[in-house]
Amino acid sequence: MDQERTGRARARRRGQGELEVQVLLALRQAPGPVDTAWVRERLGGDLAYTTVITILTRLLAKGAVVREKVGRSFVWSPTADEAGLAALRMRRVLDGESDRHAVLASFVTSLPPGDERLLRELLQRTEELGE
């Protein structure tokens, strides 16, 4: 019986970052700032309340959500979508490297031609806007 339960638990295990994306998606569908219980319910209710708090706190540290104290608890709102969360992760990895130039050069040279072209267009557009 224990092996069966362990196997089911492993089958339900989500990939790294998957919960963060699901939480952000739930927050983006919210009618406004929502509490942790609301988020937990939208994720199916099978996660521990503390797990949802942990994910929200991690997203807060990444700048992907904001929180506001209401009474004795917090309500949460998204500041980033899935693409924004991926960009935050990429920036965090880049910030952790000692040689940014080498990392960026390696990244750009490993891009397929279509992605490299898109990156150049985006950089040019940003430059034209004076950002």
Side-chain angles (χ1 to χ4, degrees):
M1 185 76 149
D2 286 335
Q3 285 180 337
E4 182 181 329
R5 199 173 330 163
T6 303
R8 282 193 306 242
R10 280 192 198 127
R12 286 192 311 254
R13 183 160 284 187
R14 292 165 175 91
Q16 184 177 9
E18 186 178 339
L19 269 177
E20 291 179 347
V21 169
Q22 290 174 356
V23 167
L24 278 177
L25 180 60
L27 287 173
R28 291 186 65 221
Q29 295 171 346
V34 293
D35 63 16
T36 305
W38 188 96
V39 175
R40 182 175 177 264
E41 182 182 309
R42 292 310 177 281
L43 296 176
D46 63 334
L47 292 171
Y49 186 86
T50 54
T51 300
V52 178
I53 287 283
T54 299
I55 297 301
L56 287 165
T57 303
R58 287 180 183 167
L59 289 169
L60 179 67
K62 294 175 182 181
V65 300
V66 293
R67 70 181 181 188
E68 178 184 345
K69 187 112 170 137
V70 175
R72 292 178 33 171
S73 61
F74 290 103
V75 291
W76 305 83
S77 301
T79 61
D81 56 10
E82 190 173 343
L85 181 57
L88 287 168
R89 282 192 202 117
M90 292 167 60
R91 193 169 64 230
R92 192 175 69 222
V93 168
L94 185 60
D95 289 345
E97 296 297 322
S98 59
D99 190 349
R100 290 176 79 90
H101 183 275
V103 173
L104 283 170
S106 180
F107 175 72
V108 171
T109 58
S110 69
L111 289 173
D115 287 349
E116 185 178 340
R117 204 170 20 262
L118 175 60
L119 181 58
R120 289 181 192 282
E121 289 170 10
L122 291 169
L123 288 169
Q124 183 177 358
R125 229 181 286 154
T126 302
E127 206 173 88
E128 289 169 0
L129 294 172
E131 295 179 359

